């Protein structure tokens, strides 16, 4: 079962002469994440603060088991994290993908945006950047993720997201090699309705602004191969 989370946080703007109305909306019922975003806004934080705090709450709570540490391990049994944040005022974007060892992926995404001229850092480079910026390096593995991984191995590595490889990925674990083109198995694939982000959060505007702003940070996780 694939589980996804989308959180929207909207701060609606009425006509410029009116005060804006902050609004936090979740598409999934992660109330603590909503509350964390709301609380950040109410205590004078920026829209970015609200997005980061809300997403970070889900990282700590491992919302649905697909956000944060200990989630869906990859083929090597490791949990790695992805996150993206955007500031619509400036159109700056910060993102990390395949982030290792750091639990607060959304915080690292924001650091990429604010402390580098890059848009995205990935893998070990992203982790080293995070460590140098003061993020704590920790094991993202949990007993649950170890168990998911060992069950996956026991089940002949199913579900398996390989295709056109041998040995037959529906029956056997790898290592795999590509099947020569003329012999490729034309397995039918269909779109998965859950195949979107796991936690997305949008804010339009800021309660302190009189102009329109758009912020679209999306946190993408953690479904690399399992779950
Ligand atoms: C939400 O926060 C409350 C209070 O901190 C906590 O007791 C509860 O376990 C949290 N919910 C989840 C799903 O983690
Ligand atoms: C994880 O498993 C180890 C042994 O397999 C056990 O000692 C430990 O208490 C477990 N941790 C949790 C949080 O269940
Ligand atoms: C939006 O408003 C802020 C002040 O609230 C101002 O600093 C910023 O320049 C404005 N942005 C635009 C695009 O007008």
């Amino acid at each position: 079962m694939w589980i996804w989370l989308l959180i929207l946080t909207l701060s609606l703007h009425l006509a410029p002469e009116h005060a804006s109305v902050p609004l936090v909306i979740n598409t999934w019922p992660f109330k603590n994440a909503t509350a964390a975003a709301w609380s950040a806004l109410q205590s004078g934080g920026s829209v970015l603060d609200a997005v980061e705090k809300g997403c970070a709450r889900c990282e700590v709570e491992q919302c649905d088991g697909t956000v944060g540490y200990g989630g869906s391990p990859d083929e090597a049994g490791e949990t790695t994290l992805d996150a993206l944040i955007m500031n619509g005022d400036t159109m700056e974007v910060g993102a990390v993908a395949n982030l290792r060892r750091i639990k607060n992926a959304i915080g690292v995404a924001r650091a990429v945006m604010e402390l580098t001229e890059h848009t995205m850092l990935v893998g070990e480079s992203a982790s080293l950047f995070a460590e140098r910026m003061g993020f704590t390096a920790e094991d993202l593995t949990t007993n649950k993720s170890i168990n998911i991984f060992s069950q996956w191995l026991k089940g002949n590595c199913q579900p398996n997201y390989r295709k056109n490889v041998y040995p037959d990925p529906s029956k056997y674990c790898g290592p795999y090699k590509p099947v020569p083109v003329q012999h490729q198995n034309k397995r039918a694939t269909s779109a998965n309705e859950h195949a979107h982000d796991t936690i997305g959060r949008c804010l339009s505007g800021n309660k302190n602004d009189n102009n329109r702003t758009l912020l679209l940070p999306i946190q993408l996780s953690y479904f690399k191969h399992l779950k």
Side-chain angles (χ1 to χ4, degrees):
M1 180 73 185
W2 295 51
I3 302 169
W4 304 84
L5 159 67
L6 174 65
I7 298 177
L8 297 176
T9 311
L10 297 175
S11 158
L12 296 181
H13 277 265
L14 307 174
E17 64 272 20
H18 294 113
S20 61
V21 180
L23 178 65
V24 178
I25 300 173
N26 280 6
T27 54
W28 302 93
F30 300 123
K31 293 180 182 169
N32 287 353
T34 313
W38 183 256
S39 160
L41 282 177
Q42 293 306 300
S43 57
S46 67
V47 175
L48 274 177
D49 295 334
V51 169
E52 184 189 348
K53 292 281 193 306
C55 290
R57 171 55 52 187
C58 258
E59 290 178 325
V60 169
E61 293 184 358
Q62 301 168 287
C63 288
D64 267 341
T66 62
V67 179
Y69 70 100
S72 317
D74 64 17
E75 282 189 358
E78 182 175 4
T79 296
T80 61
L81 305 180
D82 314 321
L84 181 152
I85 193 165
M86 176 186 277
N87 183 341
D89 274 339
T90 61
M91 292 297 158
E92 287 174 300
V93 174
V96 287
N98 196 28
L99 179 72
R100 310 175 68 194
R101 300 191 298 281
I102 311 292
K103 289 183 176 175
N104 181 210
I106 192 70
V108 182
R110 185 172 179 180
V112 170
M113 182 176 75
E114 294 183 336
L115 306 178
T116 80
E117 303 212 346
H118 297 297
T119 297
M120 181 182 230
L121 295 178
V122 304
E124 191 58 24
S125 300
S127 307
L128 287 175
F129 163 77
E131 285 165 25
R132 287 169 188 156
M133 293 301 110
F135 289 85
T136 308
E138 295 170 87
D139 191 356
L140 304 187
T141 302
T142 60
N143 285 0
K144 188 178 161 212
S145 73
I146 290 170
N147 187 45
I148 294 170
F149 183 58
S150 63
Q151 291 302 317
W152 183 72
L153 290 175
K154 275 187 208 155
N156 294 323
C157 302
Q158 304 303 313
N160 192 300
Y161 299 97
R162 303 288 186 136
K163 63 180 184 181
N164 301 323
V165 294
Y166 68 93
D168 182 348
S170 71
K171 296 192 177 69
Y172 305 103
C173 294
Y176 303 108
K177 291 200 182 323
V179 171
V181 173
Q182 61 270 31
H183 297 130
Q184 276 181 8
N185 172 18
K186 293 274 190 287
R187 191 175 70 173
T189 56
S190 56
N192 181 333
E193 66 173 297
H194 298 298
H196 55 80
D197 62 291
T198 53
I199 167 172
R201 173 175 294 261
C202 297
L203 284 85
S204 174
N206 178 309
K207 64 175 178 157
N208 300 316
D209 290 345
N210 287 322
N211 53 18
R212 293 184 64 80
T213 59
L214 174 64
L215 184 66
L216 181 63
I218 299 175
Q219 184 165 358
L220 303 157
S221 330
Y222 307 120
F223 52 90
K224 294 290 166 6
H225 294 285
L226 306 181
K227 188 104 183 157

